[in-house]
Amino acid sequence: SLILSDIAKKVRNGKETDPYQRIMVGMSIFDILYSFFLFFLGTWMAPVETGSLWAKGNMASCTAQGFFFMFGGSGEVFYQGAISLNIWLLIVFGWKQDKFAEKVEKPMHVIIITLTFLLAGIPLAFQNYGPACGGCRITTIRAKCSDTDNENMLCKLRGNERVGAVVAKIRGSFLVLVLVFSTVTMVWVYLHVKRQEKKNKRYVFCGSVQDRQKESERIRKILFLYTLSLYFAYGPLFVFVIVAPTQTLFSIFRILGPTLGFFNMLVYFLPNCLK
């Protein structure tokens, strides 16, 4: 919300925004939705029947929480990749923000919002959001069958197990893709700036070139911090998807996931604090 208020203040003062700031607006909106429904409301939205601590909701509120958990979390990760893309094109390929806005920005926003709606909307259509471990997410609700003598047999009451599994795998694949892309671009930018530093030491350049070099070094640090924040917040989910899908890792992610917006806010305001 601090990022949104800062950019809104600039707009009210008649200043133009660039693609980087508009990316931050998109990411902040998704983060607010994600953090509010998952972290602030928490178990309040879970159905009372689950017996979870502070559970006061019903299936409708649980479905809403599950939807915004998927919607906000997915959009936030996609926009994290958009930051890496923006900085990568600016530093490595020498693009200007105007060129990025003209050639990349609009399709990028459309793709991110479309993918996010699909990932969150498909489980909604198949009633795949339900209570799970105190919260609400993609799951299949089962209960003991009433038409059988076998008390241990469970019948599906809500949700499509296959659809839920496919959507979860697709979202996990996108998370891995964004993490890999962010890492590769961070290393690429770092090596590119390092090469420029060595070139500057061999030759004497005018002040404008040296100023651009300092700006590149500053942006390199910012990209590193954004990527580090992504790993800190979504690292447990990354391990959950790739290595060991355990409830412990998912619970850790539920705690750390909402911190991504907080750390991104610190990185966003860092240049102002260093002036």
Side-chain angles (χ1 to χ4, degrees):
S1 59
L2 291 176
I3 294 175
L4 290 178
S5 62
D6 178 72
I7 296 175
K9 181 179 178 181
K10 292 178 181 178
V11 173
R12 287 196 301 269
N13 292 335
K15 297 181 180 179
E16 293 185 1
T17 59
D18 58 30
Y20 168 71
Q21 292 171 328
R22 292 190 287 271
I23 289 172
M24 293 304 300
V25 167
M27 185 166 62
S28 297
I29 291 173
F30 280 110
D31 176 70
I32 289 171
L33 291 172
Y34 174 70
S35 300
F36 179 75
F37 280 92
L38 179 68
F39 195 69
F40 180 75
L41 295 179
T43 59
W44 291 354
M45 302 193 76
V48 177
E49 293 79 10
T50 62
S52 299
L53 182 65
W54 299 320
K56 299 294 182 182
N58 51 34
M59 280 307 302
S61 62
C62 187
T63 298
Q65 185 182 54
F67 176 84
F68 284 107
F69 168 69
M70 178 67 76
F71 183 76
S74 300
E76 181 181 48
V77 170
F78 288 146
Y79 271 110
Q80 196 81 22
I83 291 175
S84 298
L85 176 64
N86 180 255
I87 294 177
W88 178 54
L89 291 175
L90 262 61
I91 300 301
V92 176
F93 295 95
W95 282 32
K96 301 295 184 183
Q97 290 287 19
D98 290 342
K99 184 176 181 180
F100 185 91
E102 180 184 351
K103 294 184 175 296
V104 176
E105 186 179 11
K106 287 183 180 179
M108 178 193 70
H109 288 298
V110 170
I111 291 172
I112 289 176
I113 294 173
T114 301
L115 283 176
T116 304
F117 266 113
L118 286 175
L119 287 173
I122 292 174
L124 180 65
F126 285 90
Q127 297 185 324
N128 265 104
Y129 293 121
C133 299
C136 298
R137 55 188 172 95
I138 293 178
T139 187
T140 303
I141 300 177
R142 296 180 180 276
K144 290 182 179 180
C145 292
S146 58
D147 57 348
T148 179
D149 296 331
N150 186 354
E151 294 184 356
N152 294 323
M153 183 177 292
L154 298 178
C155 291
K156 184 180 68 173
L157 298 181
R158 181 184 173 92
N160 187 309
E161 193 168 4
R162 180 176 297 179
V163 171
V166 170
V167 172
K169 288 180 180 179
I170 292 174
R171 190 200 180 207
S173 300
F174 278 125
L175 169 64
V176 173
L177 182 63
V178 171
L179 282 168
V180 171
F181 176 74
S182 298
T183 304
V184 170
T185 54
M186 179 188 68
V187 174
W188 198 330
V189 168
Y190 174 82
L191 294 176
H192 177 80
V193 175
K194 272 293 182 184
R195 285 195 297 267
Q196 292 298 114
E197 287 177 356
K198 292 180 181 179
K199 186 184 294 185
N200 289 349
K201 289 179 181 179
R202 280 196 228 108
Y203 306 100
V204 178
F205 291 100
C206 62
S208 60
V209 175
Q210 293 177 345
D211 291 341
R212 285 200 299 270
Q213 178 63 26
K214 290 181 180 179
E215 180 68 8
S216 297
E217 293 173 4
R218 184 186 68 82
I219 296 175
R220 178 189 66 185
K221 293 176 183 177
I222 290 175
L223 177 59
F224 171 77
L225 292 174
Y226 276 130
T227 307
L228 189 65
S229 300
L230 179 63
Y231 268 98
F232 179 80
Y234 278 81
L237 185 61
F238 177 77
V239 178
F240 177 88
V241 171
I242 298 297
V243 182
T246 64
Q247 185 58 43
T248 301
L249 281 172
F250 189 80
S251 298
I252 294 173
F253 161 68
R254 283 177 63 91
I255 296 172
L256 296 179
T259 64
L260 179 60
F262 173 74
F263 287 116
N264 283 338
M265 180 270 295
L266 294 180
V267 177
Y268 176 82
F269 287 108
L270 180 63
N272 294 332
C273 297
L274 295 179
K275 287 182 179 179

